[in-house]
Amino acid sequence: MSVESPSVPSVAPIAPEAEAPPEREVALPLMLLLALVVGIVAGLGAIVFKYLIAFIYNFAFYGRISLDFDPNAYGAPSPWGAGIILVPVIGGLIVVWLVRSFAPEAKGHGVPEVMYAIYHNGGNVRGVVAVVKSLASAISIGTGASVGREGPIIQIGSSFGSTFARALGLVRHQKITLLSAGAGAGIAATFNTPLGGVLFASEVLLPEISARTFLPVVVATATSTYVFRLAMGIESAFLLPLGAFGQTEAVNGAELVLAALLGVVVGVAAWLFVKLLAASEDLFEQSNLNPYIQNIIGMTSVGLMGYVFLLSSGQYHIYSVGYATIQDIIDGGHTSALLLLLLFAGKLVATCLSLGSGASGGIFSPSLFMGATLGGAVGALGMMVAPDSGLSVETFAVIGMGAMVGGATSAAMTAIVMIFEMTRDYEIILPLVLAVAIAIGVRRALIQSDIYTIKLRRRGRPIPTDRTTNMFLVQPVSEVMETSFEMLPGSMTVSDALKHIDVETTRVILTDGNRITGFVRFGTIPYRADRFASQTLADIGSTEFIIASTQNNLNTVVTRMNRRNRSYAIVVNDVRGLPRPEDIAGIISREEIAKAVVQNHYG
């Protein structure tokens, strides 16, 4: 298989014969039932994925067969000694073979591929992706690649949701809804954060927020979280020491000021993360080196970095998800600003090298790690400057986690709510919201794309920046329709009609005196006088239109036009019975719809 060109998305499209054509649009109650099934599968998938990582980690690091693994606790140093440097390399080579052989879209952190499927591939994600992504990501994480768990489980959940919808022959928007529900359910189960899963699907994936999309996502995420908790317990992702963030005053001014400063710092760090990851991916892809050689270079570097951290600090730190280091910082185990900054830099470089050289995994966990270390460092420096102001490393580590996730992904509410759900401490909400908002603002000022969208943009498959801005669809059709038209009898000859109209601009509605029978848009017809000399308007007219009411909004009209594959809507005044020619108020074509979109965004 040849190395993919940077200009082409690394996504294998669904072959036409592999997808049953959309046959039906099911009712919302049935969609909720389907979302329930997706949630159950996503919850079970998160459980299996967690145990798969544990199995591979124990075998790769210690040579033992065991499912016992606490990601929030440091493991003992590997008995392989310096040989541990080769563990990420061996794991990476297996991952490269799996991805290249079975599912190229399983490479990387997964979410851009899901977004590509939503916006550019009809909501289609191949079923094999779930299997390959599970195994490849578990091997990457279990052998020490600096990647996270959320990207794989998002792609796994979305793959099942899409495959399930295709098997049932659902229409495109319902495929996308179940795909997004699967992704949200996966992240909800992985981090035990049902609200965060809902918001992630809403902010990052869904092109439309409405009852028909939001409710299935809620059902899927709630179900997956319930299934995960039945098997794994209800503990939050990170445990805070009792009373760690207790406040002695309603508002700590010093804390808010430092949180705002942290937002600026993390915004710059998020920009650096976005740029370095994109540069790393491009550098490896454009190197013309064999993909296996690329992996050896990248993962050897990661292996060396982890071993250096072991020799200098007693722990590998930058390997895998890094939750143990995050938990240690929250517990007050790391208070040195210098060490925290070194951990931030190490994780940043290790994550970019891992994903750039072919590892399979997410960026959410690395973002948490970088945010915790950078936030802790800012907190430590703040304590040095103002020792009696009630600041702490632990508080700002948690605030930094939310700010980095928000800054890197642009998902503000997801970052805020997930940090709250993972820590279950409400005391930090105010400085957390402030830091997240500023971090996103600073990063957007430096670069418009986030960690998810930059990959698609650089490969020529951008998605809308304001993905849920559909306000133009609520406009009344009376504000959009074209009112300049002529009503002519279908029996009129074309030559006579040309004496009354401007062929470049005039829309002609055809009647038989009592009924609306069709339309003609001369500007869309190659015109030759000799060809039309003996024809009537009915001969060249079209009946491919719908009748709409002035009481309708644009969304209703566009939906009906799409379902019936029509390019025109003739708008009539709201009347009882069959509309007559005198009831016509205007006409809507694709040109009017395009104008409405442009005016909504730029007007």
Side-chain angles (χ1 to χ4, degrees), residues 4 22 112 242 332 425 556 572:
E4 297 146 351
L242 188 62
D425 194 292
T556 301
V572 300

Side-chain angles (χ1 to χ4, degrees), residues 341-484:
L341 290 173
L342 288 173
L343 288 171
F344 164 79
K347 192 67 172 179
L348 174 63
V349 173
T351 300
C352 294
L353 286 173
S354 296
L355 290 170
S357 62
S360 178
I363 56 86
F364 195 98
S365 297
S367 296
L368 291 174
F369 186 106
M370 287 184 273
T373 52
L374 192 56
V378 170
L381 294 173
M383 291 172 63
M384 293 172 58
V385 174
D388 300 322
S389 57
L391 305 175
S392 71
V393 170
E394 299 86 346
T395 299
F396 280 88
V398 174
I399 295 172
M401 289 162 64
M404 190 67 183
V405 169
T409 66
S410 297
M413 291 304 300
T414 300
I416 294 166
V417 172
M418 285 192 71
I419 294 302
F420 171 65
E421 287 187 293
M422 285 193 286
T423 61
R424 300 185 186 175
D425 194 292
Y426 191 74
E427 302 296 340
I428 61 167
I429 286 294
L430 186 57
L432 175 62
V433 169
L434 180 63
V436 169
I438 293 176
I440 293 176
V442 170
R443 195 228 74 222
R444 286 177 65 97
L446 295 172
I447 183 171
Q448 187 73 14
S449 300
D450 56 47
I451 202 78
Y452 295 144
T453 60
I454 191 170
K455 185 174 183 180
L456 296 176
R457 183 172 297 278
R458 291 167 76 94
R459 293 182 172 184
R461 290 292 188 270
I463 64 172
T465 302
D466 300 314
R467 293 185 293 278
T468 57
T469 305
N470 296 321
M471 292 302 294
F472 71 96
L473 290 173
V474 304
Q475 289 179 276
V477 295
S478 58
E479 296 180 3
V480 179
M481 66 186 184
E482 174 59 59
T483 57
S484 176

Side-chain angles (χ1 to χ4, degrees), residues 55-319:
F55 175 83
I56 294 171
Y57 168 80
N58 280 298
F59 185 77
F61 275 71
Y62 304 107
R64 66 190 182 205
I65 305 298
S66 173
L67 298 179
D68 184 23
F69 175 52
D70 181 2
N72 287 31
Y74 290 124
S78 171
W80 314 140
I84 195 66
I85 296 170
L86 296 178
V87 170
V89 179
I90 296 170
L93 290 173
I94 298 172
V95 169
V96 171
W97 176 79
L98 282 171
V99 169
R100 286 173 56 81
S101 299
F102 301 105
E105 59 267 52
K107 179 183 177 183
H109 50 102
V111 177
E113 285 69 28
V114 175
M115 298 171 99
Y116 172 85
I118 291 172
Y119 289 94
H120 298 292
N121 201 32
N124 298 316
V125 181
R126 297 190 300 158
V128 71
V129 172
V131 178
V132 176
K133 190 70 175 182
S134 299
L135 189 55
S137 297
I139 293 172
S140 287
I141 297 170
T143 57
S146 183
V147 292
R149 295 185 301 177
E150 90 296 335
I153 199 63
I154 287 169
Q155 208 166 5
I156 293 164
S158 64
S159 173
F160 175 75
S162 174
T163 303
F164 190 31
R166 292 202 316 275
L168 295 173
L170 300 186
V171 294
R172 177 179 177 178
H173 76 83
Q174 291 189 326
K175 278 193 296 183
I176 291 173
T177 298
L178 287 185
L179 179 156
S180 302
I187 201 169
T190 298
F191 292 102
N192 210 350
T193 55
L195 292 177
V198 171
L199 290 172
F200 178 85
S202 301
E203 282 191 290
V204 177
L205 299 179
L206 285 173
E208 168 203 339
I209 307 299
S210 64
R212 72 176 186 175
T213 60
F214 185 75
L215 292 180
V217 170
V218 171
V219 169
T221 53
T223 303
S224 68
T225 307
Y226 177 73
V227 169
F228 188 83
R229 288 180 177 180
L230 281 178
M232 311 303 295
I234 63 172
E235 285 189 349
S236 55
F238 300 104
L239 302 178
L240 302 186
L242 188 62
F245 301 155
Q247 289 184 281
T248 57
E249 51 188 314
V251 177
N252 185 333
E255 188 174 81
L256 290 180
V257 170
L258 194 59
L261 177 61
L262 176 59
V264 175
V265 173
V266 172
V268 175
W271 163 77
L272 185 62
F273 185 26
V274 172
K275 294 289 287 185
L276 282 182
L277 180 56
S280 176
E281 291 176 332
D282 287 347
L283 179 64
F284 279 102
E285 286 184 344
Q286 296 170 6
S287 66
N288 293 322
L289 294 174
N290 182 282
Y292 295 99
I293 300 298
Q294 294 178 27
N295 176 80
I296 291 172
I297 294 172
M299 298 316 298
T300 299
S301 302
V302 173
L304 283 168
M305 292 172 62
Y307 188 61
V308 169
F309 269 110
L310 175 69
L311 296 179
S312 59
S313 67
Q315 301 296 338
Y316 297 110
H317 286 305
I318 55 99
Y319 282 166

